[in-house]
Amino acid sequence: MAYRTHETDGQSNNTRMIWFIAGGVLVAAVGAGLYAYNGGFAEEDKVSIELTVPNVDVPKVELPKVDLPQLQTEPMRTPTVK
């Protein structure tokens, strides 16, 4: 029985992985450079947003009064079995 050997184009999988990582680092470096060029890392002025709500003369809505059940004030007892 003959064993087949896989022929490659001269580059191992490790070499391809290293080139892939290097390309990713290069893309990240270019992106960070563009972000810094546009002032992304510079200290920015603080932004203050103020919201004022107009005063509207609307009568207050009275909620209906509801009788709420009272909480039990005595401790609970374990039922006894006879």
Side-chain angles (χ1 to χ4, degrees), residues 1-6:
M1 182 183 269
Y3 290 103
R4 278 182 113 171
T5 59
H6 297 285

Side-chain angles (χ1 to χ4, degrees), residues 2-72:
Y3 290 103
R4 278 182 113 171
T5 59
H6 297 285
E7 294 182 22
T8 60
D9 58 352
Q11 290 184 341
S12 68
N13 286 337
N14 289 339
T15 306
R16 290 180 184 164
M17 184 175 63
I18 289 171
W19 279 112
F20 181 75
I21 292 171
V25 169
L26 180 65
V27 168
V30 168
L34 288 173
Y35 184 71
Y37 179 75
N38 290 328
F41 295 115
E43 286 189 34
E44 297 178 9
D45 295 334
K46 292 185 179 182
V47 176
S48 176
I49 299 175
E50 185 177 328
L51 176 66
T52 56
V53 180
N55 226 355
V56 180
D57 293 330
V58 177
K60 292 184 179 178
V61 176
E62 293 291 329
L63 296 176
K65 293 183 180 180
V66 179
D67 292 332
L68 297 176
Q70 297 296 321
L71 295 176
Q72 186 178 2

